Amino acid sequence: MSRSLEALMHPRLRTVAAALGVLALLGASGCGDGEGSGGKGGKLDMGIAVANISLNFAHEMVLGAESAASHAEDVDLQAVGPPNTDGPAEVQLFQNLTTTARDGIVLENLDPPIFTRPAARAVDKGIPIVALDTSPTEGSKVNFYVGNDNYALGELMAKEALKRLGDDPKGEVAIGVPNPGTPVLDNRARGIADTLAKEAPNVEIVGPFQTYSDPGQNYSSWSAQVNAHPDALAFLGVGDADSYNLAKIKKQKKGKWLTAGFDVDPKTLDAVEDGSNFVAIDPQHFLKGYLSTAILIDSVRDNDGKLPDGWFLSPGGVVDSSNIAEVIARQKSPEAAYDWYRPTIDKLLGDQDGQLRPLKDAR
């Protein structure tokens, strides 16, 4: 699919198209001679691997990466990912990608331990690897990571909830995590729980419990928790499907509790716009995809493939009634997203040292 055609598609259709494209990507990953230019001036063969190419969070990262590659010119960027969250399937796709994307790969995943050896082997082959959204494990030989402060994003969600719960709230707040054990998600949940415990001592935390990435499983999990805790003050999820499924359940049950989640799936934005969810926490995945790819390209062309060392901190934000129209407009196309993010992109890429933190501090 051409980027010009993809840009005109509604986000939901682009997500479907990306999912359908997985089969083609599986075939393409075994083609070619595996030789990239790896230097200045020539065409670069690069790739991005994501955990679930059909969900919004990963789709946004791919769109950001594609935008950066397009602006850099002469970059052939291949995107791969399973249609559902499946760590072993992504490992195979990543390993296939290393045979064609020899000039560099951006790697996002939700199961870091199983990528330790495959990533190390890729680095040993001379392929620059950037960890995106999930910090790399020790032993992976990946030393550069682009991601949010996810604990702080959890704090942000808790503070937004407390604004709406009034003084000294009393009752249960349930927290859900799609993939327990994934640092990015666990840190968000920990940020929520710690903030509530500190600022609302009479709130009882329920969970975190597993809500699953798959939208169907996610809906069933949240339905069970809502039925088990009908008098809860709030249900807060830290993943993609959490947001729109909580809104759906709230509407069905005419619930009075607060609901919110992460990311900017079109259904999530609808839920914020109609007031079902009080906020969505936006990790700004397009921005992370753009930054990670732009830095990778620059490192290959200008620094012989040597990436920075450390955690490149990428910002996030709140989507609520005050800015929902602006965010909906931003999400209409990759071009609109780039135009919205461009001042931030220019600022962060212009001061890369200022954004670097020790990798051990990533959370």
Side-chain angles (χ1 to χ4, degrees):
M1 179 186 300
S2 69
R3 290 193 182 93
S4 59
L5 175 59
E6 184 180 26
L8 295 173
M9 295 174 67
H10 188 278
R12 292 186 180 92
L13 296 180
R14 291 204 306 271
T15 299
V16 172
L20 292 176
V22 170
L23 292 178
L25 291 169
L26 277 166
S29 64
C31 302
D33 59 12
E35 295 297 329
S37 65
K40 298 181 180 180
K43 183 179 179 181
L44 299 179
D45 293 316
M46 292 184 162
I48 178 171
V50 293
N52 184 327
I53 208 162
S54 64
L55 289 181
N56 177 265
F57 75 91
H59 186 56
E60 290 278 318
M61 292 183 214
V62 169
L63 291 179
E66 290 177 340
S67 181
S70 176
H71 292 149
E73 299 183 344
D74 290 325
V75 178
D76 183 6
L77 183 78
Q78 199 177 356
V80 300
N84 299 299
T85 302
D86 184 337
E90 189 193 355
V91 167
Q92 185 60 58
L93 289 168
F94 171 73
Q95 290 174 327
N96 292 344
L97 192 58
T98 64
T99 68
T100 54
R102 298 300 301 272
D103 291 317
I105 298 173
V106 174
L107 174 61
E108 182 275 332
N109 69 86
L110 294 177
D111 195 354
I114 68 172
F115 283 85
T116 301
R117 291 181 65 187
R121 285 196 293 266
V123 173
D124 286 341
K125 290 166 63 176
I127 302 174
I129 305 292
V130 177
L132 170 61
D133 201 47
T134 301
S135 58
T137 55
E138 187 175 351
S140 68
K141 301 186 179 180
V142 177
N143 297 315
F144 182 57
Y145 164 56
V146 177
N148 305 110
D149 182 337
N150 287 285
Y151 184 91
L153 292 184
E155 289 179 311
L156 188 58
M157 173 175 272
K159 289 176 181 178
E160 290 294 323
L162 288 170
K163 289 178 185 177
R164 294 157 175 85
L165 289 174
D167 296 334
D168 193 23
K170 299 177 177 63
E172 295 177 330
V173 172
I175 302 173
V177 179
N179 300 90
T182 300
V184 57
L185 302 176
D186 288 345
N187 283 325
R188 292 174 185 175
R190 201 154 31 242
I192 296 170
D194 289 353
T195 303
L196 291 175
K198 179 181 177 181
E199 300 191 18
N202 290 315
V203 165
E204 178 185 353
I205 303 298
V206 179
F209 55 87
Q210 185 170 12
T211 59
Y212 305 95
S213 292
D214 175 76
Q217 288 180 293
N218 183 276
Y219 175 83
S220 297
S221 179
W222 275 119
S223 293
Q225 292 301 324
V226 169
N227 289 335
H229 305 279
D231 298 320
L233 300 173
F235 295 90
L236 306 176
V238 300
D240 192 318
D242 294 328
S243 297
Y244 51 79
N245 277 329
L246 279 170
K248 181 179 179 180
I249 294 166
K250 184 176 182 178
K251 291 175 186 176
Q252 290 172 340
K253 294 184 173 293
K254 298 180 171 55
K256 301 301 182 184
W257 7 266
L258 295 178
T259 54
F262 275 66
D263 305 326
V264 290
D265 183 276
K267 297 185 292 297
T268 296
L269 296 181
D270 289 345
V272 175
E273 187 177 35
D274 68 21
S276 301
N277 287 356
F278 64 95
V279 297
I281 302 300
D282 181 8
Q284 301 187 348
H285 296 306
F286 180 98
L287 176 63
K288 284 182 293 189
Y290 193 104
L291 293 170
S292 56
T293 307
I295 294 171
L296 175 62
I297 293 168
D298 287 346
S299 75
V300 171
R301 286 188 167 156
D302 301 330
N303 200 27
D304 295 324
K306 181 170 173 52
L307 289 158
D309 287 332
W311 166 30
F312 190 97
L313 178 60
S314 188
V318 174
V319 181
D320 60 17
S321 59
S322 70
N323 64 351
I324 183 64
E326 179 183 346
V327 174
I328 289 173
R330 180 194 81 188
Q331 295 300 112
K332 288 193 178 299
S333 72
E335 290 78 14
Y338 173 72
D339 288 343
W340 192 90
Y341 282 116
R342 184 171 182 176
T344 303
I345 290 170
D346 291 345
K347 178 182 177 181
L348 297 183
L349 292 182
D351 182 23
Q352 294 185 31
D353 289 343
Q355 293 303 116
L356 281 175
R357 309 286 188 274
L359 189 56
K360 64 180 179 59
D361 293 343
R363 58 180 190 169

